[in-house]
Amino acid sequence: QVQLVESGGGFMQPGGSLRLSCAAPKSIFSINAMAWYRQAPGKQRELVAIIAAGGSTTYVGSVGGRFTISRDNAKNTMYLQMNRLKPEDTAVYYCNTHPSRNDYWGQGTQVTVSS
């Protein structure tokens, strides 16, 4: 099983910012669209944002205009810049390809937004 490694989560007050990182093997990262997903307590995992291998981006739901997905192909790393965080952004954030593969899920990184 190949795991992607997420990092950068933490605790933040509403309105604050965090940047998440996702490190992936080159064999996966270089040819695939990548995405961020999140799972809030008691809810199903959901798609947050997608970045194609060529760099085009798509955002889902309420994160548009607040979150920015990016990738550094030289470092095989993807990022999620999260600004103007809201309590409803509280979740475990995961990275994976898009479409996702069950054997690529990592441990995720916890983001908690609370006053």
Side-chain angles (χ1 to χ4, degrees), residues 8-12 16-20 66-68 80-85 110-113:
F11 181 91
M12 181 57 62
S17 298
L18 285 171
R19 188 174 87 150
L20 307 183
R66 298 188 298 122
F67 291 8
T68 302
L80 186 68
Q81 177 67 43
M82 305 187 296
N83 298 329
R84 291 184 280 136
L85 283 162
Q110 175 72 48
V111 172
T112 302
V113 184

